[in-house]
Amino acid sequence: MDYTSLLLLGLAGLGIISSNSTVTIAMVALLLVRLLGLNQAFPWLEKYGLTAGIIILLIGVMSPVASGRISLHTVGQAFLHWKSLTAIGIGILVAYLGGRGAALIGSQPTIVAGLLIGTVIGVAVFKGVPVGPLIAAGILSLIIGRM
């Protein structure tokens, strides 16, 4: 077994130890792609995986609106309370940071490894959610002054 597969296996183990099925499933899926010789899938995953993931994330986030569990009235009320207005502002900031992060990852792929390792550790050890690499890259772009 090569070092890349061992790394994926180790990260899957970290997901198991921390009871984080998200990390475990993702690492095992990537390991299976490698072990089954489906290497032609990696360019597609690299190119479209993030977009597909964001689409699935948005579907999950917007499902309560689509199902009617969150009404149009409730959405309208979001503009009348300071906490909701703050949430809107933070949502705008996070989307902006994600855009900067995507640009930074595209222009400096060498930082991807650090961002991914940090995100996987955050998910596995601190029970986080793996939406961090783009935001982390956006924050990093502000710190290093690049986009």
Side-chain angles (χ1 to χ4, degrees), residues 4 7 12 21 46 62 65-66 89 97 106 109 115 124 131:
T4 301
L7 175 63
S21 61
E46 289 175 25
M62 294 304 294
V65 174
L97 289 173
L115 292 169
V131 295

Side-chain angles (χ1 to χ4, degrees), residues 57-144:
L57 180 65
L58 281 171
I59 289 170
V61 169
M62 294 304 294
S63 289
V65 174
S67 71
R69 195 169 62 93
I70 295 178
S71 67
L72 185 59
H73 179 263
T74 303
V75 173
Q77 291 294 314
F79 294 97
L80 301 177
H81 194 273
W82 73 269
K83 288 180 183 177
S84 296
L85 289 171
T86 303
I88 291 168
I90 290 172
I92 292 168
L93 175 63
V94 167
Y96 168 73
L97 289 173
R100 283 186 65 107
L104 182 66
I105 287 171
S107 68
Q108 295 188 24
T110 56
I111 66 161
V112 173
L115 292 169
L116 295 179
I117 290 169
T119 298
V120 169
I121 290 170
V123 168
V125 176
F126 300 109
K127 306 288 186 209
V129 179
V131 295
L134 287 179
I135 307 307
I139 293 169
L140 180 62
S141 77
L142 291 175
I143 292 169
I144 65 174

Side-chain angles (χ1 to χ4, degrees), residues 3-57:
Y3 289 115
T4 301
S5 296
L6 287 174
L7 175 63
L8 292 171
L9 190 58
L11 292 171
L14 189 58
I16 292 168
I17 290 168
S18 64
S19 300
N20 193 306
S21 61
T22 307
V23 170
T24 306
I25 292 168
M27 295 308 119
V28 168
L30 290 171
L31 187 59
L32 284 173
V33 170
R34 284 184 65 79
L35 294 177
L36 294 174
L38 302 173
N39 293 336
Q40 67 273 16
F42 286 120
W44 186 91
L45 289 170
E46 289 175 25
K47 187 172 182 181
Y48 300 111
L50 183 62
T51 300
I54 290 170
I55 290 168
I56 292 168
L57 180 65

